[in-house]
Amino acid sequence: MDVRGGLRRHGSVLVLPLLTGAGLVTTVALDLGTPATGPGVELAPGYGWGYAVLGLLLAVLATVILLRDVRQRWGWTLAWLGVFWVLDALAQSYVRYGVRPGSALAGENLALWFLNRVGAFLPVTVAALLMIFPSGRFVAGWWGRVSRAALALMVLAALVVLVAPSGVRAPDVALPPGVDLDLWTVPLPPGVADRSTAVGVAVTVAGLLVAMASVVVRHRRSRGLERDQMRWLLWSVVAMAIVVGLGLLSDLRAVQDLVVFLVAALPAVAMTVAIVHPGVVPVEELVGRTLVYGLLSLVLVGTDLVVLALLTAALGDTLGQRQVVLTVLLLTAALYGPLRQRLSRGVRRLMLGDRADPYDAVAGLASTLETADEGAGQLAAVARAVASAFGVGYVSVEVDRSGGERLTATYGEPPAETRTLPITYRDAPVGRLVLPARGLRSRLSRRDEQLLGDLVRQAATAARASRMADELQDSRERLVVAREEERRRIRRDLHDGLGPALSGVVFRVESARLLVDRDPEAAKGHLAATSDHVKEVVADVRRLVHELRPPALDDRGLVGALGQLAEGLGVPVQIDSEVDGSVGTLPAAVEVAAYRIAAEALTNVVRHAGATRARVGLALEDGHLVVEVADDGRGIPAEAQAGVGLVGLRERAAELGGRSEVTCPPRGGTTVRAWLPTRRTDVGEPV
């Protein structure tokens, strides 16, 4: 039953293009049978089939929307508007065909009434659609009140046309018997009808301008999907304004009919695309190109008219048609290239900022970075350069520091929605670039992405240089501090631990020597105590040696030492090695760093991960020893700051010229990876 109901609904929708198509065929037949001259042609100048084509187009657009969602009210609105235009076209063709000298077909008065009076409501429908799309409500605030007032005045003007006598609007033509141009009108004083008609035209034009302006206002206020939809309607308004401007430069009937066709069709096409698939093409590029070519056409046509008017005034009637055509062609050829280039650059700068001149943007940033203070000053310069190049009101540049903190430079106020782009240096992430997620200028073409890449590359270089300078200074300080702390610890252990212990051994041995002749048993007791004391001293020495370098690395190699480490953790640990980790096969510094990194990662697994198992992997990759520790625990929250342990991992890898990363795979758990170069053997062992 649901399938049958859906088919019936879709079938009823498909009736729309069929009915309007039949209306188009009828208007074509009537127009073909219309005589070249006669009162009907005077009463209804222009063929009706063009308006019937518009009605069919609207019906097809409505069908596209309704086939997607039969309950979509905008689809039914466009369908009603398409039927309206087809009826208007039928009325026009019927008047042209049926009003002959001395006779008229039945129903001509009704056709004339619909054509001359009901057709006045067509601009009202177009304005209403522009004012309330896509929410079905007027814009909030005072602009909404202005829109309501303008629409009410347009309706009032259309009602005046509906009931006012023709007056001077009536064509000077001999009407056949029975034809009445003022059917169902209200008698008005002489001249009132004419003045009311002029006022009505002015009100209609003003109302359409208000409707077009309301589209701009709603676009600026909209967010999310509504903003994407309003971009298409904004494009239609831009195109309508250009079309109307071009139409004002010509009084040809065909041009005026084309202007009416486009003014009615463009919003309908834009609404259909906005409803069905707003992302089908980059609308920002479409708006820019429409502005460029529309303004170019206006300038060229205006220039041609001015030049021809001056030539006509100077030469009189001696300027022939051939000279006119040649003048227009020469002017167009001379002005098209420079005008198009200048207009294109100006429109792009107006819509998208300074990205139209990528060299200037990159060169300006490079010059600024040379004079800016390192660190925060350079990042602030990058933020300003990106904001200027792309014409956006907010840019934030974030750079990670070696200690886990972030250095941030911000330009402008943050919008409601933002998006984050990574800043990388040699494929390694060093920070983030935050931009607005919405807005016409936030959309990036391929060329824009290349420019952003160039700017971000300089930002990455500046950030990397600043970061390396800070890391170098921090590393120097840590090396000095670590060296002195280690010396103090070893001195304290030797002075407070090993020194007194050895002194005690000497004292006990000397006591035993004095007792060995006169009390052998007491001497034996002293020697036994001395032996235990020596064992404690040996244990202290081993502890000191282990802290300098784990003995298991020299006894068992890296793989064996890791296996020994894993035995006492309390969590099952699997050791997988693709390298020969026996004694002496790897540089000493690499062995110690790999062991310390794995030990720290496994300690975190036991303390924080809540894991049931872990895995340690060793592999050689492009001259690096890759150490990987993975678990099946709870992972690390995205917002968590790096702790002392993770910072220590990063520092141990960096000391050897390597790198490390900590990730949380989608399947769960945490994975720690470190890349340690094995070709550099001149690096001292890390402590």
Side-chain angles (χ1 to χ4, degrees):
M1 292 299 293
D2 292 338
V3 175
R4 293 176 183 174
L7 291 175
R8 281 197 300 270
R9 288 194 299 272
H10 289 168
S12 63
V13 169
L14 294 175
V15 171
L16 293 171
L18 295 178
L19 288 177
T20 53
L24 172 61
V25 172
T26 304
T27 58
V28 171
L30 291 173
D31 289 338
L32 291 175
T34 299
T37 60
V41 177
E42 298 293 333
L43 291 172
Y47 293 105
W49 66 265
Y51 301 108
V53 170
L54 176 59
L56 177 60
L57 174 63
L58 295 176
V60 170
L61 295 175
T63 302
V64 172
I65 296 175
L66 294 175
L67 286 177
R68 184 172 179 267
D69 183 3
V70 74
R71 297 168 297 179
Q72 176 59 254
R73 56 187 176 181
W74 294 109
W76 291 110
T77 302
L78 292 181
W80 173 84
L81 191 57
V83 172
F84 198 170
W85 277 104
V86 169
L87 291 176
D88 186 77
L90 285 171
Q92 180 153 345
S93 297
Y94 190 68
V95 169
R96 290 172 57 85
Y97 175 82
V99 180
R100 306 293 175 90
S103 65
L105 297 178
E108 289 295 345
N109 286 334
L110 179 61
L112 280 167
W113 176 80
F114 190 91
L115 177 63
N116 294 331
R117 303 186 183 280
V118 179
F121 287 93
L122 288 171
V124 178
T125 58
V126 174
L129 289 176
L130 293 176
M131 289 178 180
I132 64 176
F133 183 84
S135 63
R137 297 183 298 274
F138 289 93
V139 179
W142 68 272
W143 190 259
R145 294 190 289 272
V146 171
S147 300
R148 290 186 181 91
L151 189 62
L153 290 175
M154 291 181 70
V155 172
L156 181 61
L159 290 174
V160 170
V161 173
L162 189 67
V163 300
S166 300
V168 295
R169 290 184 300 148
D172 186 14
V173 59
L175 298 176
V179 176
D180 184 6
L181 293 179
D182 293 328
L183 182 67
W184 301 324
T185 59
V186 176
L188 294 175
V192 173
D194 299 334
R195 288 193 295 270
S196 63
T197 300
V199 172
V201 172
V203 167
T204 300
V205 173
L208 286 173
L209 292 177
V210 170
M212 295 167 68
S214 69
V215 172
V216 179
V217 173
R218 189 187 293 270
H219 173 265
R220 293 176 62 87
R221 297 181 183 180
S222 59
R223 295 291 184 271
L225 176 60
E226 181 177 320
R227 190 173 184 86
D228 293 335
Q229 294 175 329
M230 288 305 300
R231 284 195 181 99
W232 280 99
L233 201 59
L234 179 66
W235 164 77
S236 71
V237 166
V238 172
M240 288 167 60
I242 294 172
V243 166
V244 172
L246 290 172
L248 294 176
L249 298 176
S250 175
D251 57 356
L252 296 176
R253 181 70 193 186
V255 174
Q256 300 301 325
D257 290 342
L258 180 61
V259 169
V260 173
F261 181 93
L262 292 176
V263 167
L266 286 171
V269 172
M271 291 176 186
T272 302
V273 177
I275 293 171
V276 176
H277 192 354
V280 62
V281 295
V283 67
E284 298 82 4
E285 291 289 332
L286 187 59
V287 173
R289 292 180 182 274
T290 302
L291 276 174
V292 170
Y293 289 106
L295 294 175
L296 184 62
S297 301
L298 288 172
V299 173
L300 289 177
V301 172
T303 304
D304 290 338
L305 292 177
V306 171
V307 172
L308 290 175
L310 293 175
L311 290 176
T312 302
L315 302 177
D317 297 334
T318 60
L319 194 64
Q321 182 177 3
R322 180 176 297 178
Q323 287 80 10
V324 170
V325 173
L326 182 61
T327 301
V328 170
L329 290 177
L330 289 176
L331 281 173
T332 303
L335 297 177
Y336 178 81
L339 275 177
R340 179 182 176 276
Q341 187 176 11
R342 290 177 180 272
L343 287 174
S344 179
R345 185 181 297 111
V347 168
R348 283 186 62 85
R349 180 167 291 133
L350 175 66
M351 296 179 57
L352 303 175
D354 294 334
R355 67 185 80 178
D357 299 313
Y359 175 79
D360 292 344
V362 176
L365 176 58
S367 176
T368 304
L369 289 178
E370 290 180 358
T371 57
D373 295 334
E374 292 187 357
Q378 290 184 327
L379 295 185
V382 171
R384 289 194 301 271
V386 173
S388 174
F390 291 90
V392 294
Y394 173 76
V395 176
S396 179
V397 182
E398 302 176 358
V399 174
D400 295 329
R401 294 294 184 136
S402 58
E405 67 277 6
R406 291 177 183 173
L407 180 62
T408 303
T410 302
Y411 176 88
E413 295 296 327
E417 298 181 59
T418 59
R419 59 173 172 167
T420 302
L421 303 175
I423 299 177
T424 59
Y425 183 83
R426 295 183 179 178
D427 298 329
V430 296
R432 284 152 295 283
L433 184 68
V434 184
L435 297 172
R438 297 289 179 181
L440 182 65
R441 295 180 173 182
S442 301
R443 299 298 182 92
L444 303 179
S445 64
R446 180 173 299 178
R447 182 183 179 187
D448 297 335
E449 291 177 352
Q450 292 176 351
L451 172 59
L452 182 61
D454 293 337
L455 294 176
V456 169
R457 193 173 298 113
Q458 294 200 47
T461 303
R464 179 64 175 173
S466 175
R467 178 174 170 178
M468 290 182 65
D470 292 340
E471 289 180 351
L472 178 60
Q473 183 61 32
D474 292 343
S475 177
R476 288 174 176 173
E477 294 177 358
R478 286 196 306 271
L479 286 175
V480 173
V481 172
R483 182 189 65 194
E484 296 304 321
E485 288 290 336
E486 188 65 14
R487 286 178 175 178
R488 183 169 62 180
R489 183 184 65 80
I490 294 174
R491 176 186 178 282
R492 183 176 59 249
D493 289 341
L494 293 176
H495 181 272
D496 299 339
L498 190 59
L502 292 177
S503 298
V505 170
V506 172
F507 176 76
R508 291 176 180 273
V509 170
E510 185 63 23
S511 299
R513 187 182 66 80
L514 295 175
L515 292 174
V516 68
D517 294 331
R518 52 191 175 89
D519 192 353
E521 294 300 325
K524 290 180 180 179
H526 280 285
L527 290 176
T530 302
S531 177
D532 294 337
H533 193 63
V534 169
K535 291 178 181 179
E536 294 178 359
V537 172
V538 171
D540 286 341
V541 172
R542 288 177 176 174
R543 178 181 58 81
L544 289 173
V545 171
H546 184 276
E547 290 177 355
L548 293 175
R549 174 180 170 86
L553 291 174
D554 296 325
D555 298 337
R556 304 187 178 189
L558 178 58
V559 176
L562 291 176
Q564 181 182 22
L565 174 67
E567 292 176 358
L569 290 178
V571 174
V573 179
Q574 177 183 349
I575 308 294
D576 296 330
S577 177
E578 300 177 5
V579 300
D580 182 7
S582 57
V583 179
T585 57
L586 292 171
V590 174
E591 285 184 333
V592 174
Y595 181 85
R596 299 294 191 196
I597 289 172
E600 182 62 38
L602 290 174
T603 300
N604 289 336
V605 170
V606 175
R607 292 179 178 177
H608 309 297
T612 60
R613 63 180 182 276
R615 172 187 171 274
V616 178
L618 300 174
L620 284 177
E621 180 181 302
D622 297 330
H624 289 73
L625 174 65
V626 182
V627 183
E628 178 180 287
V629 180
D631 63 72
D632 61 351
R634 62 177 63 94
I636 302 175
E639 66 278 4
Q641 294 289 332
V644 176
L646 296 180
V647 172
L649 294 179
R650 187 182 304 134
E651 291 177 348
R652 288 188 181 279
E655 285 174 352
L656 297 181
R659 61 186 178 92
S660 64
E661 68 174 15
V662 180
T663 59
C664 296
R667 65 178 182 274
T670 303
T671 300
V672 177
R673 291 188 184 89
W675 288 262
L676 307 175
T678 59
R679 296 172 184 169
R680 297 175 57 185
T681 59
D682 57 339
V683 181
E685 293 186 7
V687 177

